[in-house]
Amino acid sequence: MTGGPSDPRREDFASDNHAEAHPAVLAALLGAAGGPAPAYGGDRWTAAAEAGLRDLAGPGVVPLLVFSATAANVLGLSVLLGPGDAIVCAEHSHLAMDECGAVEAMLGRKLLPVPAPDGKLTPRAIEALLERCTDVRMPRPSVVALTQATEVGTCYTLAELAELREFCDRRGLRVYIDGARLANAVARLGCEVADIARFADALSFGFTKNGALGADALLLMAPGVAERAPYLRRQQGQLASKMRFLAAQVTALLDGGLWLDNARHANGMTDRLAAGLEPLPGLRLTRRVQSNAVFAELPRAAADALRERWAFHLSPAGEARFMTSHATTGADVSDLVAEVGTSLKQEGAQ
């Protein structure tokens, strides 16, 4: 697998987390490094980042900067939950499978996973769970957590989000959206951040996967939660003393819509990759391509041979995941497609 410190190859399709920070982000960090500035968010960079986020999501939105996507999820859910409340989520969601039980450990709240074959929750699936949680012996479903874009690369349409919001309002449920790859969903849907934010009570906005060195944001829309959120952020260890260095990354990506350009580029590279892989004999695309991930099934021997030189995720069931980023080039994609084709031919000749 690629990725070692002495490996000269740049091609890495394991995750957009593997991509280098965008040059504009690094330049912004250097620009923020000169001289003193007020701590804990009292600086001009934080003010600019918060203003930029409100411009995108709506003037009434309360933005909070944190260090990571997991931190944003924990904080966002903590402001929406009450005693005895539980969170409904997709069975393969990041919350349930990739955060080491952070929500359950830090908040003491139960996750209630439900089936979501294409990564997306539906009113019908949530209703089936609600029918089982009918007395005090069971955790009380209170918040529905969606992921946009999902862990399998799909995107909720605005119509699907509207249907879920209407259902949740009718059933007395709040809505949280994990937007670690929100930029990719916005780019794919051709919508605005505000178009998605209006369906949520709280929404994370991921920047780390989109060119930042390490910064994410939480956007609060629900009335009555913003006042205590800063205190919860402090309690959870997510109030940066030198906040300007988180904010400088966010302002760099917001400036001129760089965050959206990065997402469009990553999505475009994914489309190109999918178009190159789909015709190859012995390979089958297993998921709809709607963000910056391609999922494919190929012979295990061919996958193992590829992983000697290329980084990509391979599930225990043998499903390969190739992810693109702002740093992926057309040459990277062409090289991968060519080597996948060679590996499949070698597999077929054996």
Side-chain angles (χ1 to χ4, degrees):
M1 182 180 293
T2 61
S6 61
D7 192 333
R9 293 179 65 90
R10 288 186 61 254
E11 295 92 336
D12 188 316
F13 288 85
S15 174
D16 40 13
N17 277 320
H18 289 203
E20 62 265 31
H22 194 281
V25 168
L26 297 178
L29 285 168
L30 287 174
Y40 300 109
D43 58 274
R44 62 183 177 89
W45 291 272
T46 300
E50 291 175 349
L53 290 166
R54 284 191 293 269
D55 286 343
L56 288 176
V61 168
V62 176
L64 297 169
L65 302 184
V66 294
F67 291 105
S68 71
T70 297
N73 288 341
V74 172
L75 178 59
L77 289 166
S78 71
V79 302
L80 301 179
L81 293 163
D85 286 351
I87 303 117
V88 182
C89 62
E91 60 185 343
H92 297 302
S93 66
H94 218 71
L95 289 175
M97 299 299 294
D98 293 282
E99 295 183 347
C100 199
V103 168
E104 293 176 323
M106 297 180 69
L107 304 182
R109 300 295 194 272
K110 181 70 174 172
L111 293 174
L112 300 173
V114 299
D118 66 349
K120 297 193 284 187
L121 293 175
T122 64
R124 181 176 180 180
I126 299 169
E127 185 64 51
L129 172 70
L130 298 180
E131 290 174 356
R132 301 197 302 270
C133 299
T134 56
D135 64 54
V136 74
R137 295 174 298 171
M138 299 286 290
R140 180 177 63 184
S142 174
V143 176
V144 172
L146 315 175
T147 311
Q148 178 77 319
T150 74
E151 287 75 12
V152 295
T154 53
C155 293
Y156 291 91
T157 65
L158 296 182
E160 288 170 334
L161 289 174
E163 181 185 22
L164 280 163
R165 178 84 245 195
E166 188 279 330
F167 168 82
C168 289
D169 286 345
R170 183 159 34 88
R171 301 294 269 120
L173 302 167
R174 282 181 154 170
V175 176
Y176 174 75
I177 297 181
D178 177 350
R181 295 186 175 95
L182 180 68
N184 300 97
V186 169
R188 181 65 67 182
L189 296 174
C191 67
E192 305 291 336
V193 173
D195 294 329
I196 294 175
R198 67 191 178 96
F199 297 118
D201 295 294
L203 164 70
S204 70
F205 192 160
F207 290 96
T208 301
K209 294 178 172 65
N210 191 235
L213 187 68
D216 285 84
L218 175 68
L219 309 179
L220 301 175
M221 282 70 68
V225 301
E227 183 176 338
R228 62 194 181 104
Y231 296 92
L232 291 169
R233 177 174 62 170
R234 179 61 165 163
Q235 285 183 342
Q236 293 168 18
Q238 290 299 320
L239 178 62
S241 58
K242 295 187 177 181
M243 185 71 78
R244 58 175 152 156
F245 294 111
L246 273 68
Q249 298 175 63
V250 173
T251 55
L253 289 167
L254 294 180
D255 187 27
L258 179 59
W259 67 276
L260 188 55
D261 291 340
N262 285 350
R264 285 171 174 158
H265 175 81
N267 289 359
M269 291 296 100
T270 297
D271 292 344
R272 181 170 174 172
L273 177 60
L277 292 177
E278 188 171 24
L280 297 179
L283 181 145
R284 180 178 68 90
L285 300 187
T286 56
R287 313 277 185 175
R288 288 179 291 169
V289 178
Q290 295 184 332
S291 57
N292 65 322
V294 175
F295 290 80
E297 184 181 84
L298 63 162
R300 185 57 184 252
D304 288 341
L306 282 168
R307 293 182 84 199
E308 292 179 4
R309 300 185 62 190
W310 296 79
F312 60 92
H313 180 73
L314 189 65
S315 75
E319 185 180 45
R321 185 194 73 177
F322 302 98
M323 295 205 73
T324 62
S325 75
H326 71 91
T328 306
T329 68
D332 295 336
V333 171
S334 297
D335 289 347
L336 176 61
V337 170
E339 291 200 28
V340 171
T342 298
S343 296
L344 290 171
K345 287 180 180 178
Q346 292 174 345
E347 171 70 14
Q350 293 176 1

